[in-house]
Amino acid sequence: MQSKLTVCPDNDPTKQEVYVDFESIRSLLAQYKIGYERWTAEAPLSETATPEEVAAAYKSSIDKIMKMGYKTYDVVSLHPDSPNAAEARKKFINEHTHGEDEVRFFVDGSGMFYVHIDGKVCMLLCTKGDYINLPAGTTHWFDMGPKPHFKAIRVFNNPEGWVGKFTGSTISENFPKYE
Ligand SMILES: [Fe+2]
């Protein structure tokens, strides 16, 4: 699977501009102060790697991000057979913001971020190796799909304060789901 950025006017999901090369995606997102990088593991990692092994394999990348002033990080994973998969998908599938940055690195698997900004919706399909940093206040939603499969490093200013403030907009219903 390849990472992909699809940009649409926020009132017309059928008018799509598609970008797949790293530099196009990075520079487009940078216009909106959204960080996008690709990280590579410094050591081989198995599917069953522990959170400690995952953190060790990406140590230099994590260290670089933590120096930006973040306080903590963790490693989360979700599998299609997780009993809470449907519940987890629903949690952030509607448009919201956070008082803190949303910082994610995809160790494995995939998910779709939708950023609503400047009259556009930027749909970023994140795959293994993708790092994304949505600054606090960025209007967005996230779809992990009906069979969620990902392992991600999450970086926080303040994990207790990391809650969704929902805008009440139903715009997410007009855009293609991540299937
Ligand atoms: Fe979010």
PDB file of all heavy atoms in Angstrom, residues 11-12 24 54 65 92 99 104 124 131 153 160 163 176:
ATOM      1  N   ASN A  11     -16.611  21.373  -0.539  1.00  0.00           N
ATOM      2  CA  ASN A  11     -18.021  21.164  -0.918  1.00  0.00           C
ATOM      3  C   ASN A  11     -18.159  20.227  -2.121  1.00  0.00           C
ATOM      4  O   ASN A  11     -19.249  20.081  -2.668  1.00  0.00           O
ATOM      5  CB  ASN A  11     -18.684  22.510  -1.207  1.00  0.00           C
ATOM      6  CG  ASN A  11     -17.987  23.270  -2.324  1.00  0.00           C
ATOM      7  OD1 ASN A  11     -17.016  22.786  -2.899  1.00  0.00           O
ATOM      8  ND2 ASN A  11     -18.470  24.459  -2.612  1.00  0.00           N
ATOM      9  N   ASP A  12     -17.046  19.608  -2.562  1.00  0.00           N
ATOM     10  CA  ASP A  12     -17.143  18.703  -3.706  1.00  0.00           C
ATOM     11  C   ASP A  12     -16.096  17.577  -3.657  1.00  0.00           C
ATOM     12  O   ASP A  12     -15.004  17.696  -4.215  1.00  0.00           O
ATOM     13  CB  ASP A  12     -16.990  19.486  -5.014  1.00  0.00           C
ATOM     14  CG  ASP A  12     -17.296  18.613  -6.225  1.00  0.00           C
ATOM     15  OD1 ASP A  12     -17.541  17.396  -6.047  1.00  0.00           O
ATOM     16  OD2 ASP A  12     -17.295  19.156  -7.346  1.00  0.00           O
ATOM     17  N   SER A  24       5.841  16.122  -2.901  1.00  0.00           N
ATOM     18  CA  SER A  24       4.582  16.846  -3.164  1.00  0.00           C
ATOM     19  C   SER A  24       3.698  16.844  -1.926  1.00  0.00           C
ATOM     20  O   SER A  24       3.113  17.867  -1.562  1.00  0.00           O
ATOM     21  CB  SER A  24       3.814  16.191  -4.314  1.00  0.00           C
ATOM     22  OG  SER A  24       4.572  16.226  -5.480  1.00  0.00           O
ATOM     23  N   VAL A  54       9.705  -1.311  19.733  1.00  0.00           N
ATOM     24  CA  VAL A  54       9.297  -0.333  18.715  1.00  0.00           C
ATOM     25  C   VAL A  54      10.001   0.998  18.982  1.00  0.00           C
ATOM     26  O   VAL A  54      10.595   1.598  18.082  1.00  0.00           O
ATOM     27  CB  VAL A  54       7.754  -0.137  18.713  1.00  0.00           C
ATOM     28  CG1 VAL A  54       7.358   1.050  17.843  1.00  0.00           C
ATOM     29  CG2 VAL A  54       7.061  -1.412  18.241  1.00  0.00           C
ATOM     30  N   ILE A  65      11.823  14.412  17.641  1.00  0.00           N
ATOM     31  CA  ILE A  65      10.485  14.979  17.856  1.00  0.00           C
ATOM     32  C   ILE A  65      10.325  15.441  19.305  1.00  0.00           C
ATOM     33  O   ILE A  65       9.782  16.513  19.569  1.00  0.00           O
ATOM     34  CB  ILE A  65       9.400  13.940  17.488  1.00  0.00           C
ATOM     35  CG1 ILE A  65       9.496  13.570  16.008  1.00  0.00           C
ATOM     36  CG2 ILE A  65       8.006  14.428  17.851  1.00  0.00           C
ATOM     37  CD1 ILE A  65       9.462  14.741  15.044  1.00  0.00           C
ATOM     38  N   PHE A  92     -13.272   9.044  16.567  1.00  0.00           N
ATOM     39  CA  PHE A  92     -12.756  10.288  15.967  1.00  0.00           C
ATOM     40  C   PHE A  92     -13.149  10.420  14.500  1.00  0.00           C
ATOM     41  O   PHE A  92     -12.487  11.108  13.736  1.00  0.00           O
ATOM     42  CB  PHE A  92     -11.236  10.367  16.132  1.00  0.00           C
ATOM     43  CG  PHE A  92     -10.820  10.581  17.561  1.00  0.00           C
ATOM     44  CD1 PHE A  92     -10.121   9.591  18.251  1.00  0.00           C
ATOM     45  CD2 PHE A  92     -11.142  11.755  18.223  1.00  0.00           C
ATOM     46  CE1 PHE A  92      -9.752   9.787  19.577  1.00  0.00           C
ATOM     47  CE2 PHE A  92     -10.777  11.961  19.545  1.00  0.00           C
ATOM     48  CZ  PHE A  92     -10.078  10.967  20.232  1.00  0.00           C
ATOM     49  N   GLY A  99      -6.918  20.548  21.720  1.00  0.00           N
ATOM     50  CA  GLY A  99      -6.143  21.634  22.310  1.00  0.00           C
ATOM     51  C   GLY A  99      -4.643  21.348  22.261  1.00  0.00           C
ATOM     52  O   GLY A  99      -3.822  22.202  22.588  1.00  0.00           O
ATOM     53  N   ARG A 104       1.425  11.468  15.189  1.00  0.00           N
ATOM     54  CA  ARG A 104       1.326  10.018  15.005  1.00  0.00           C
ATOM     55  C   ARG A 104       2.401   9.531  14.052  1.00  0.00           C
ATOM     56  O   ARG A 104       2.670  10.169  13.034  1.00  0.00           O
ATOM     57  CB  ARG A 104      -0.033   9.652  14.368  1.00  0.00           C
ATOM     58  CG  ARG A 104      -1.241  10.021  15.195  1.00  0.00           C
ATOM     59  CD  ARG A 104      -1.356   9.097  16.405  1.00  0.00           C
ATOM     60  NE  ARG A 104      -2.528   9.405  17.196  1.00  0.00           N
ATOM     61  CZ  ARG A 104      -2.566  10.276  18.188  1.00  0.00           C
ATOM     62  NH1 ARG A 104      -1.479  10.973  18.506  1.00  0.00           N
ATOM     63  NH2 ARG A 104      -3.667  10.481  18.888  1.00  0.00           N
ATOM     64  N   LEU A 124      -5.356  12.258   3.764  1.00  0.00           N
ATOM     65  CA  LEU A 124      -4.018  11.663   3.741  1.00  0.00           C
ATOM     66  C   LEU A 124      -4.093  10.210   4.182  1.00  0.00           C
ATOM     67  O   LEU A 124      -4.382   9.925   5.343  1.00  0.00           O
ATOM     68  CB  LEU A 124      -3.059  12.444   4.655  1.00  0.00           C
ATOM     69  CG  LEU A 124      -1.636  11.875   4.684  1.00  0.00           C
ATOM     70  CD1 LEU A 124      -0.955  12.009   3.318  1.00  0.00           C
ATOM     71  CD2 LEU A 124      -0.796  12.555   5.756  1.00  0.00           C
ATOM     72  N   TYR A 131       4.914   9.747   9.296  1.00  0.00           N
ATOM     73  CA  TYR A 131       4.799  10.563  10.502  1.00  0.00           C
ATOM     74  C   TYR A 131       3.950  11.770  10.142  1.00  0.00           C
ATOM     75  O   TYR A 131       4.182  12.411   9.117  1.00  0.00           O
ATOM     76  CB  TYR A 131       6.196  11.015  10.940  1.00  0.00           C
ATOM     77  CG  TYR A 131       6.201  12.200  11.874  1.00  0.00           C
ATOM     78  CD1 TYR A 131       6.162  12.033  13.253  1.00  0.00           C
ATOM     79  CD2 TYR A 131       6.258  13.503  11.375  1.00  0.00           C
ATOM     80  CE1 TYR A 131       6.179  13.137  14.110  1.00  0.00           C
ATOM     81  CE2 TYR A 131       6.277  14.604  12.223  1.00  0.00           C
ATOM     82  CZ  TYR A 131       6.230  14.411  13.580  1.00  0.00           C
ATOM     83  OH  TYR A 131       6.247  15.502  14.427  1.00  0.00           O
ATOM     84  N   ILE A 153       3.034   5.096  16.991  1.00  0.00           N
ATOM     85  CA  ILE A 153       3.635   5.820  18.108  1.00  0.00           C
ATOM     86  C   ILE A 153       2.883   7.143  18.209  1.00  0.00           C
ATOM     87  O   ILE A 153       2.711   7.836  17.202  1.00  0.00           O
ATOM     88  CB  ILE A 153       5.142   6.090  17.862  1.00  0.00           C
ATOM     89  CG1 ILE A 153       5.898   4.768  17.718  1.00  0.00           C
ATOM     90  CG2 ILE A 153       5.729   6.937  19.001  1.00  0.00           C
ATOM     91  CD1 ILE A 153       7.363   4.925  17.292  1.00  0.00           C
ATOM     92  N   GLU A 160      -3.300  13.645  29.197  1.00  0.00           N
ATOM     93  CA  GLU A 160      -4.585  13.814  29.913  1.00  0.00           C
ATOM     94  C   GLU A 160      -5.455  14.841  29.203  1.00  0.00           C
ATOM     95  O   GLU A 160      -6.675  14.760  29.206  1.00  0.00           O
ATOM     96  CB  GLU A 160      -4.365  14.269  31.367  1.00  0.00           C
ATOM     97  CG  GLU A 160      -3.789  13.213  32.291  1.00  0.00           C
ATOM     98  CD  GLU A 160      -2.286  13.040  32.110  1.00  0.00           C
ATOM     99  OE1 GLU A 160      -1.585  14.045  31.877  1.00  0.00           O
ATOM    100  OE2 GLU A 160      -1.824  11.883  32.169  1.00  0.00           O
ATOM    101  N   VAL A 163      -8.103  15.420  24.231  1.00  0.00           N
ATOM    102  CA  VAL A 163      -9.496  15.022  24.004  1.00  0.00           C
ATOM    103  C   VAL A 163      -9.980  15.701  22.727  1.00  0.00           C
ATOM    104  O   VAL A 163      -9.408  16.696  22.301  1.00  0.00           O
ATOM    105  CB  VAL A 163     -10.417  15.434  25.181  1.00  0.00           C
ATOM    106  CG1 VAL A 163     -10.099  14.627  26.428  1.00  0.00           C
ATOM    107  CG2 VAL A 163     -10.294  16.926  25.473  1.00  0.00           C
ATOM    108  N   PRO A 176     -15.511  10.176   1.125  1.00  0.00           N
ATOM    109  CA  PRO A 176     -15.382   8.721   1.112  1.00  0.00           C
ATOM    110  C   PRO A 176     -14.774   8.204   2.408  1.00  0.00           C
ATOM    111  O   PRO A 176     -13.830   8.796   2.932  1.00  0.00           O
ATOM    112  CB  PRO A 176     -14.439   8.429  -0.071  1.00  0.00           C
ATOM    113  CG  PRO A 176     -13.941   9.741  -0.576  1.00  0.00           C
ATOM    114  CD  PRO A 176     -14.762  10.826   0.032  1.00  0.00           C
TER     115      PRO A 176
END
